[in-house]
Amino acid sequence: METWDLYDKHRNKIEKQITRGDAMLPNEFHVVVHVCIFNSKGEMLIQQRQPFKHGWSNLWDITCGGSAIAGDTSQQAASRELFEELGIHYNFDNMRPQLTINFERGFDDYYLIEHNVDLNELTLQAEEVQAAKWASKEEIFMLMEQKMFIPYYESMIAFLFEGRHHYGSIRL
């Protein structure tokens, strides 16, 4: 059973934890992380969710993501999720997320990294991931058009590709 730390709207940890699926009060939030791995050719590593996975089953998604569990920092959650879902070791300790998106129930931290990964060396988490592959921005847009990719905003996917080498939203 997964337990989450809860935060206030300013992202200060409050002295409360809940179990995944339990109701949260309107002023309580949790941390989610997403990692996007890009290779040296500018492609993103994407994964296909299992058919029995609750929510977005069989759809392709960005590299990995999930909720921070109790005691995790955002960086620890990113490292754990990446290893659990794809078997990739990566140290996020000295990184900040490139962006954080506030959603109704929490904070979603996005880490964008360049890391050439051999697909044959991945260890896919059987409970969550059925396949993984490299994809260009255009290939992801095509999958989205075919309703085979989680329906992120196209502009969000474009920003992940364009913003992967720096922090912020201004081209320098």
Side-chain angles (χ1 to χ4, degrees):
M1 221 177 287
E2 196 171 281
T3 303
W4 299 340
D5 289 323
L6 294 181
Y7 299 80
D8 67 16
K9 68 180 179 180
H10 301 291
R11 200 167 173 161
N12 298 309
K13 192 184 293 188
I14 61 175
E15 296 299 317
K16 184 175 178 185
Q17 296 178 339
I18 63 164
T19 300
R20 177 191 278 278
D22 288 353
M24 296 183 338
L25 297 175
N27 60 341
E28 296 174 338
F29 305 92
H30 73 106
V31 172
V32 172
V33 297
H34 279 93
V35 176
C36 299
I37 295 181
F38 296 89
N39 64 19
S40 56
K41 295 191 279 187
E43 299 167 315
M44 185 192 295
L45 182 61
I46 62 173
Q47 63 160 281
Q48 187 177 27
R49 296 168 66 86
Q50 287 286 11
F52 49 81
K53 180 90 171 115
H54 179 68
W56 313 115
S57 58
N58 274 324
L59 295 186
W60 288 91
D61 195 0
I62 60 179
T63 308
C64 80
S67 294
I69 58 174
D72 270 354
T73 63
S74 172
Q75 291 82 358
Q76 289 167 329
S79 181
R80 180 182 45 75
E81 286 292 334
L82 189 58
F83 180 72
E84 284 178 0
E85 292 184 18
L86 299 171
I88 298 170
H89 290 281
Y90 197 87
N91 184 347
F92 292 86
D93 288 348
N94 295 317
M95 288 183 71
R96 293 182 303 146
Q98 264 83 350
L99 68 146
T100 299
I101 298 176
N102 294 312
F103 65 100
E104 184 179 350
R105 299 303 331 144
F107 310 97
D108 194 350
D109 290 342
Y110 281 77
Y111 294 88
L112 313 178
I113 59 176
E114 188 167 307
H115 187 59
N116 288 311
V117 175
D118 182 344
L119 296 177
N120 296 317
E121 294 181 9
L122 296 178
T123 304
L124 306 182
Q125 183 180 22
E127 299 82 23
E128 295 201 23
V129 182
Q130 64 175 300
K133 67 179 182 175
W134 291 106
S136 67
K137 177 175 60 176
E138 293 73 24
E139 289 169 315
I140 292 173
F141 288 163
M142 188 177 301
L143 288 168
M144 291 172 83
E145 187 176 306
Q146 297 167 346
K147 308 249 186 275
M148 296 173 62
F149 202 93
I150 290 180
Y152 295 97
Y153 292 109
E154 282 189 17
S155 57
M156 174 66 181
I157 297 297
F159 180 79
L160 295 174
F161 274 85
E162 189 167 340
R164 70 185 186 271
H165 294 298
H166 60 272
Y167 288 93
S169 59
I170 296 175
R171 292 185 193 143
L172 299 174

